[in-house]
Structure formats: structure tokens, C-alpha cells
Amino acid sequence: MSEPLSIAAQIHVPAALFEQWLKQPLPDERQVLDALADMLDSSDCNPEELFLCQYLPEQQVLLFFLSDGRTLQDAAPQLDMFRRLASLAGEEAKGYVAAGRYPYGGMDEEGAWRVGKGRLGKVRALPSTAMAELDPLLAKLIGWMPEQRRHQKALYFRKLVLRFNKRGNAFVRRAAPDNRLWFGDDYTTDGQHVYVFRSSCGLLAVQRVEGADPYHFRRVAGLIWGDGNHLFYQERRIAKLQGRVRVVGNAVVVGDQAYLADRDGNDLYYDQVDPARFKCLCRYGGYYSDGSRVWHDMQPLPESPDSFEILGWGIARGHKAVYLHGRVCAGVDPASLVDLGCYFFQDREQLWFHDSTGSDFIALGRCAPGTAKVDGPWCRDDTRVWYHQHLLAGAEPGSFQPVNYLYAADTRHVWCQQHREVDTEVIAAVRAAWTRLASAGD
């Protein structure tokens, strides 16, 4: 299925005119502000997947993004509102509006308009200067929404965790005791308070998060939320904020304490750190350091940062051990471990396999360094062949040849992953491919 149609706008308009525009009536007797808020409400199910609508008074810029419908005809109400803005602001409003499908940062435009001279004028394509003008604004916005740093600046046409809060958070403003709205995770609001769902003895209960301000309540990182005054984990208030927090990976640093509640984890962890040197050692995997100590998910490891190395997703080694998601991998020699690719590893005595979905390294057998050869999911040494962690009984390493990710053959058998193929048509096709590859090798 194709991406939904997206409408994006970047318009310079004086604040006074913008205030007037918000109060303009629409054909259904709503004001523009209410129409925008309704649009955002429809996509406000999860703060990680919200859409952007923000007015920056200092720069007098309206930034808007919404994914809505499948065709330009579906987008007619949004485009009509931008025409109203252009008409109201006259010569003083300048900017761009675009419509298209933008999967993962790509730009497939179906329409572009220039705002100016009191109208919305169709242009052939969005000019490259639009992004150049927008970059500094996005950099500023992303700066105070730390969790969104993982997104690219091409987010002009992407989702951002921002609120239309020129006149109050529209999402919270529409909540009521009989219409609680969901923030994300287990949090809801009735417009006055924040609540969290808690499970106890198999029963689900709703507990009030004391002191949380719903109008400023947002995710800070992982499962840690904040409202500008405090950090929260579940219903607990875990830290008082003084100034701006610093987000490092999924950890939140307040003073000399780093807090972490990863969305894949089950609890809150924290420890004292050197805030000036505290850093995330890998984009994924949960390893952190402050120059003198190393942590995994804020659980200290008995290693020095000087000898600690990230090897892959969740895999690291120090002077004392190899670690998988912070756990010691028994029997693996850290000094000689080599990544052979495709989840195969080798140390001075053993061949190992680690599937990214697994919980430990799997010992495949003793193997002299340099003898194992990896080809996609297949690995062989002088006497054995493996598909991932599965030993292929009876396979001939000397004649073994993969033909694609699923199939391989030797002089005696055709293999489908770790199993011998029995379908005669498949065997014939794989055998023909194996023969061509063998001939090409000669």
C-alpha cells in the first residue's frame, strides 16, 4: 500500500495576522484553529507518531505537516485553509505548500504551491530553497525535542513530536472526564490530570500521576516522561528538573544522575555519572560510558572504557569478557574474538554463532583460526558445513556451493537451509545453478 498523501507548509506570516486567521470561520461554522486541532486529534493516538503544526512567534513562521487521505481531492480542506491564510495575509505572507507521498524521507510530490501576493499559486515543484530555509528552524525544534534526534532533517515531510500549542495544547484541550485521551504507553489525560494504567495481581487499575501537568506532558526518552518540572516513570516522580535535561541515547541526565527505562526493558535504572563525559557508545545496544566506567542499561560492568569495544548489535567486549546485551558470554575469549559476518564469530579455539533474536552465543565446534569461510547464512571449514547454527550432516565442504540465500548444493545433495531437498524439480533447478557456478569457478 502506498504512503498516505501528505500536506506540508512553511509560511512566514506576521503574528497579528496569524491570530486573525485562527479565528476565521469555515463553512461548517468552525474556526480555523478548531479545524487544525481536529486534524491533529485524529492523528494524536501516540506522541511518537504525531504530526507537526507549530507557529514560531520569534520567526513568525507556521510549520504544518499532516498525512491525510489518498488523493489531492482528499486534501481539499487543508489546501482551502492555506488559501484563506494567503488571502488574509496578503502581501505579507510568503512560503510554500506541498502535497505528495513521502515514504522514509523520499519526496514524491503531487503538487506544490507558492504562497505570495495574497494567493496560493501552483508551481511546477517545490524549490530547493524551501529546505534551505527550513533547516535552521527544524534544528531549533529538534533541539528541544531530544527524542526526535533519530529523525533526519528531511523531516520537512515527516512526523515530529510537536503540539499545536499557540493557544494551548489542542489535544489536551479536547480531553474531558468522560473522554480521556491517550498520550502513549499507558498514559491518558482527562484535560486536568495525567493517569497511568497499572497492572496488579492480574487486574488493571488506573492511577493518577500526581503533579503531572498534562499540557506539557511528553515523552523524554524511552519510558521516561516529563512535564518541564519533573521526570516521571509510570506513576512515580523520579527527579525534579532544574533547567534543561540532556538525553543521551535512551538515558536522561539530570544533574549527575542518569536515568534509563528502555522501552524494551522492564524497570527503571539509574546511577551517578560524570555528566560532562557521559555518552552512548552505540546507537543501539544500550552501552554507555562516562570516561571512567561502563554501563549496560545503567547497570555497571566491570570494564574500563579504554578497553571496551562495540562489536555489533548488543555485542561488546572488554578486557574481561564478551557481553551480549550486558550479559557475560561464558566461554568466549574476548581477546581473540573475530566477527566473520552474518552472525558467525570465531575466537582462538571455537566457532560461534549468534542470531540477533537469540539470547546467547552458540558454540558450533572447535575450529582453528582462519579455516572457517562464511557465505551468507552458510559457513564451512575443512570438514563441516553449517546453515546458521545447524550442522549439515553429510555435507561435503570441498564441493559445497550456495546458489542463493535458501539453497545450496554439493556433489551429493541439494540443501534447503538446513534440510536436504526432496522435491525433484527444485533439485534439478538448484543442481543446474550449482553446476554453472562450479564451471564459472573453474
Short mmCIF file of all heavy atoms in Angstrom, two decimals, residues 15-36 81 84-85 88 164 166-167 173:
data_model
loop_
_atom_site.label_atom_id
_atom_site.label_comp_id
_atom_site.label_asym_id
_atom_site.label_seq_id
_atom_site.Cartn_x
_atom_site.Cartn_y
_atom_site.Cartn_z
N ALA A 15 2.51 37.67 13.24
CA ALA A 15 1.76 37.06 14.33
C ALA A 15 0.34 37.62 14.44
O ALA A 15 -0.61 36.87 14.69
CB ALA A 15 2.51 37.26 15.65
N ALA A 16 0.19 38.93 14.26
CA ALA A 16 -1.15 39.52 14.38
C ALA A 16 -2.09 38.96 13.32
O ALA A 16 -3.26 38.65 13.61
CB ALA A 16 -1.07 41.04 14.27
N LEU A 17 -1.61 38.82 12.11
CA LEU A 17 -2.44 38.26 11.05
C LEU A 17 -2.73 36.79 11.29
O LEU A 17 -3.80 36.29 10.97
CB LEU A 17 -1.76 38.46 9.69
CG LEU A 17 -1.69 39.91 9.20
CD1 LEU A 17 -0.98 39.98 7.87
CD2 LEU A 17 -3.09 40.50 9.09
N PHE A 18 -1.75 36.10 11.85
CA PHE A 18 -1.96 34.70 12.15
C PHE A 18 -3.08 34.53 13.19
O PHE A 18 -3.93 33.65 13.08
CB PHE A 18 -0.66 34.07 12.66
CG PHE A 18 -0.76 32.59 12.92
CD1 PHE A 18 -1.02 31.70 11.89
CD2 PHE A 18 -0.60 32.09 14.20
CE1 PHE A 18 -1.12 30.34 12.13
CE2 PHE A 18 -0.68 30.73 14.44
CZ PHE A 18 -0.95 29.85 13.41
N GLU A 19 -3.09 35.39 14.21
CA GLU A 19 -4.15 35.35 15.21
C GLU A 19 -5.51 35.59 14.56
O GLU A 19 -6.49 34.92 14.88
CB GLU A 19 -3.90 36.40 16.30
CG GLU A 19 -2.81 36.02 17.28
CD GLU A 19 -3.28 34.95 18.25
OE1 GLU A 19 -4.49 34.66 18.28
OE2 GLU A 19 -2.44 34.40 18.97
N GLN A 20 -5.58 36.52 13.63
CA GLN A 20 -6.84 36.75 12.93
C GLN A 20 -7.26 35.53 12.12
O GLN A 20 -8.43 35.16 12.09
CB GLN A 20 -6.70 37.97 12.01
CG GLN A 20 -6.49 39.29 12.73
CD GLN A 20 -6.32 40.42 11.74
OE1 GLN A 20 -6.93 40.43 10.67
NE2 GLN A 20 -5.48 41.38 12.10
N TRP A 21 -6.28 34.93 11.49
CA TRP A 21 -6.57 33.78 10.65
C TRP A 21 -7.14 32.62 11.45
O TRP A 21 -8.06 31.92 11.02
CB TRP A 21 -5.30 33.36 9.92
CG TRP A 21 -5.46 32.19 9.01
CD1 TRP A 21 -6.24 32.12 7.90
CD2 TRP A 21 -4.83 30.91 9.13
NE1 TRP A 21 -6.13 30.89 7.31
CE2 TRP A 21 -5.26 30.12 8.05
CE3 TRP A 21 -3.93 30.37 10.03
CZ2 TRP A 21 -4.84 28.82 7.84
CZ3 TRP A 21 -3.49 29.08 9.84
CH2 TRP A 21 -3.94 28.32 8.76
N LEU A 22 -6.59 32.41 12.68
CA LEU A 22 -7.08 31.33 13.52
C LEU A 22 -8.56 31.46 13.82
O LEU A 22 -9.26 30.48 14.04
CB LEU A 22 -6.29 31.28 14.84
CG LEU A 22 -4.83 30.85 14.76
CD1 LEU A 22 -4.20 30.90 16.14
CD2 LEU A 22 -4.70 29.46 14.18
N LYS A 23 -9.07 32.70 13.84
CA LYS A 23 -10.46 32.95 14.20
C LYS A 23 -11.39 32.96 13.00
O LYS A 23 -12.60 33.17 13.15
CB LYS A 23 -10.56 34.27 14.96
CG LYS A 23 -9.71 34.31 16.22
CD LYS A 23 -9.70 35.70 16.84
CE LYS A 23 -8.75 35.75 18.04
NZ LYS A 23 -8.66 37.13 18.60
N GLN A 24 -10.83 32.74 11.82
CA GLN A 24 -11.67 32.79 10.62
C GLN A 24 -12.68 31.64 10.62
O GLN A 24 -12.35 30.51 10.97
CB GLN A 24 -10.81 32.69 9.36
CG GLN A 24 -10.00 33.94 9.08
CD GLN A 24 -10.90 35.12 8.75
OE1 GLN A 24 -11.67 35.08 7.80
NE2 GLN A 24 -10.80 36.15 9.56
N PRO A 25 -13.93 31.92 10.22
CA PRO A 25 -14.94 30.86 10.17
C PRO A 25 -14.76 30.01 8.93
O PRO A 25 -14.30 30.46 7.89
CB PRO A 25 -16.26 31.64 10.13
CG PRO A 25 -15.89 32.94 9.46
CD PRO A 25 -14.49 33.25 9.90
N LEU A 26 -15.14 28.74 9.06
CA LEU A 26 -15.15 27.80 7.94
C LEU A 26 -16.61 27.48 7.58
O LEU A 26 -17.52 27.78 8.35
CB LEU A 26 -14.39 26.53 8.32
CG LEU A 26 -12.89 26.73 8.58
CD1 LEU A 26 -12.28 25.48 9.18
CD2 LEU A 26 -12.17 27.13 7.32
N PRO A 27 -16.85 26.86 6.44
CA PRO A 27 -18.22 26.59 6.02
C PRO A 27 -19.04 25.79 7.04
O PRO A 27 -20.25 25.93 7.11
CB PRO A 27 -18.03 25.80 4.72
CG PRO A 27 -16.73 26.28 4.18
CD PRO A 27 -15.88 26.53 5.38
N ASP A 28 -18.37 24.94 7.86
CA ASP A 28 -19.12 24.15 8.84
C ASP A 28 -19.23 24.84 10.19
O ASP A 28 -19.46 24.20 11.21
CB ASP A 28 -18.47 22.78 9.00
CG ASP A 28 -17.01 22.89 9.42
OD1 ASP A 28 -16.54 24.02 9.67
OD2 ASP A 28 -16.34 21.85 9.49
N GLU A 29 -19.01 26.17 10.21
CA GLU A 29 -19.17 27.01 11.39
C GLU A 29 -18.07 26.80 12.43
O GLU A 29 -18.17 27.24 13.56
CB GLU A 29 -20.54 26.80 12.05
CG GLU A 29 -21.70 27.16 11.13
CD GLU A 29 -23.04 27.01 11.81
OE1 GLU A 29 -23.06 26.47 12.94
OE2 GLU A 29 -24.04 27.44 11.23
N ARG A 30 -17.00 26.12 12.06
CA ARG A 30 -15.84 26.03 12.94
C ARG A 30 -14.84 27.12 12.57
O ARG A 30 -14.87 27.68 11.49
CB ARG A 30 -15.16 24.67 12.79
CG ARG A 30 -15.94 23.50 13.29
CD ARG A 30 -15.15 22.22 13.09
NE ARG A 30 -14.81 22.04 11.69
CZ ARG A 30 -13.89 21.19 11.25
NH1 ARG A 30 -13.20 20.47 12.10
NH2 ARG A 30 -13.65 21.07 9.95
N GLN A 31 -13.95 27.40 13.52
CA GLN A 31 -12.84 28.30 13.23
C GLN A 31 -11.66 27.50 12.72
O GLN A 31 -11.58 26.28 12.88
CB GLN A 31 -12.44 29.08 14.49
CG GLN A 31 -13.51 30.04 14.99
CD GLN A 31 -13.05 30.80 16.21
OE1 GLN A 31 -12.01 30.50 16.80
NE2 GLN A 31 -13.83 31.80 16.60
N VAL A 32 -10.70 28.19 12.10
CA VAL A 32 -9.52 27.53 11.57
C VAL A 32 -8.77 26.79 12.68
O VAL A 32 -8.30 25.67 12.50
CB VAL A 32 -8.60 28.56 10.87
CG1 VAL A 32 -7.24 27.93 10.55
CG2 VAL A 32 -9.25 29.08 9.61
N LEU A 33 -8.67 27.42 13.87
CA LEU A 33 -7.97 26.77 14.98
C LEU A 33 -8.60 25.42 15.32
O LEU A 33 -7.90 24.42 15.50
CB LEU A 33 -8.00 27.68 16.21
CG LEU A 33 -7.45 27.06 17.51
CD1 LEU A 33 -5.98 26.73 17.37
CD2 LEU A 33 -7.69 27.98 18.68
N ASP A 34 -9.93 25.39 15.37
CA ASP A 34 -10.60 24.13 15.69
C ASP A 34 -10.40 23.09 14.60
O ASP A 34 -10.25 21.90 14.87
CB ASP A 34 -12.10 24.38 15.90
CG ASP A 34 -12.36 25.26 17.11
OD1 ASP A 34 -11.73 25.00 18.15
OD2 ASP A 34 -13.16 26.20 17.01
N ALA A 35 -10.40 23.53 13.35
CA ALA A 35 -10.19 22.59 12.25
C ALA A 35 -8.80 21.98 12.32
O ALA A 35 -8.63 20.76 12.14
CB ALA A 35 -10.40 23.29 10.92
N LEU A 36 -7.80 22.81 12.59
CA LEU A 36 -6.43 22.29 12.71
C LEU A 36 -6.34 21.33 13.89
O LEU A 36 -5.71 20.26 13.80
CB LEU A 36 -5.44 23.44 12.89
CG LEU A 36 -5.14 24.28 11.66
CD1 LEU A 36 -4.28 25.48 12.05
CD2 LEU A 36 -4.43 23.45 10.60
N MET A 81 -7.74 25.97 3.48
CA MET A 81 -7.36 26.79 4.63
C MET A 81 -6.10 27.60 4.32
O MET A 81 -5.97 28.75 4.73
CB MET A 81 -7.15 25.92 5.86
CG MET A 81 -8.45 25.56 6.54
SD MET A 81 -8.19 24.94 8.21
CE MET A 81 -7.34 23.43 7.85
N ARG A 84 -7.03 30.52 2.36
CA ARG A 84 -7.60 31.56 3.22
C ARG A 84 -6.49 32.35 3.92
O ARG A 84 -6.57 33.57 4.02
CB ARG A 84 -8.51 30.91 4.27
CG ARG A 84 -9.82 30.39 3.71
CD ARG A 84 -10.59 29.63 4.78
NE ARG A 84 -11.86 29.16 4.26
CZ ARG A 84 -13.00 29.84 4.36
NH1 ARG A 84 -13.00 31.02 4.95
NH2 ARG A 84 -14.12 29.35 3.87
N LEU A 85 -5.49 31.67 4.39
CA LEU A 85 -4.37 32.37 5.05
C LEU A 85 -3.69 33.31 4.07
O LEU A 85 -3.40 34.46 4.39
CB LEU A 85 -3.36 31.35 5.58
CG LEU A 85 -2.04 31.94 6.08
CD1 LEU A 85 -2.28 32.90 7.23
CD2 LEU A 85 -1.08 30.85 6.49
N LEU A 88 -5.90 36.33 3.46
CA LEU A 88 -6.00 37.22 4.61
C LEU A 88 -4.71 38.01 4.81
O LEU A 88 -4.73 39.22 5.07
CB LEU A 88 -6.31 36.41 5.87
CG LEU A 88 -6.31 37.19 7.18
CD1 LEU A 88 -7.48 38.17 7.21
CD2 LEU A 88 -6.39 36.24 8.37
N PHE A 164 0.34 21.66 18.48
CA PHE A 164 -0.18 22.94 18.05
C PHE A 164 -0.56 23.69 19.31
O PHE A 164 -1.69 23.65 19.78
CB PHE A 164 -1.39 22.74 17.14
CG PHE A 164 -1.93 24.02 16.60
CD1 PHE A 164 -1.25 24.71 15.63
CD2 PHE A 164 -3.10 24.55 17.09
CE1 PHE A 164 -1.72 25.90 15.15
CE2 PHE A 164 -3.58 25.75 16.62
CZ PHE A 164 -2.90 26.42 15.64
N LYS A 166 0.02 27.14 20.15
CA LYS A 166 -0.01 28.59 20.15
C LYS A 166 -1.03 29.11 21.16
O LYS A 166 -0.82 30.09 21.84
CB LYS A 166 -0.35 29.09 18.73
CG LYS A 166 -0.63 30.57 18.63
CD LYS A 166 0.58 31.41 19.00
CE LYS A 166 0.24 32.90 18.87
NZ LYS A 166 1.31 33.72 19.42
N ARG A 167 -2.17 28.39 21.28
CA ARG A 167 -3.20 28.81 22.22
C ARG A 167 -3.58 27.66 23.14
O ARG A 167 -4.71 27.48 23.50
CB ARG A 167 -4.42 29.32 21.45
CG ARG A 167 -4.08 30.44 20.49
CD ARG A 167 -5.30 30.92 19.75
NE ARG A 167 -6.21 31.65 20.62
CZ ARG A 167 -7.41 32.08 20.25
NH1 ARG A 167 -7.83 31.85 19.02
NH2 ARG A 167 -8.17 32.74 21.06
N ARG A 173 -6.68 20.03 25.38
CA ARG A 173 -7.82 20.93 25.48
C ARG A 173 -9.13 20.22 25.16
O ARG A 173 -10.20 20.63 25.62
CB ARG A 173 -7.60 22.12 24.52
CG ARG A 173 -8.58 23.25 24.65
CD ARG A 173 -8.01 24.51 24.03
NE ARG A 173 -7.58 24.33 22.66
CZ ARG A 173 -8.39 24.41 21.61
NH1 ARG A 173 -9.68 24.65 21.79
NH2 ARG A 173 -7.93 24.24 20.39
#
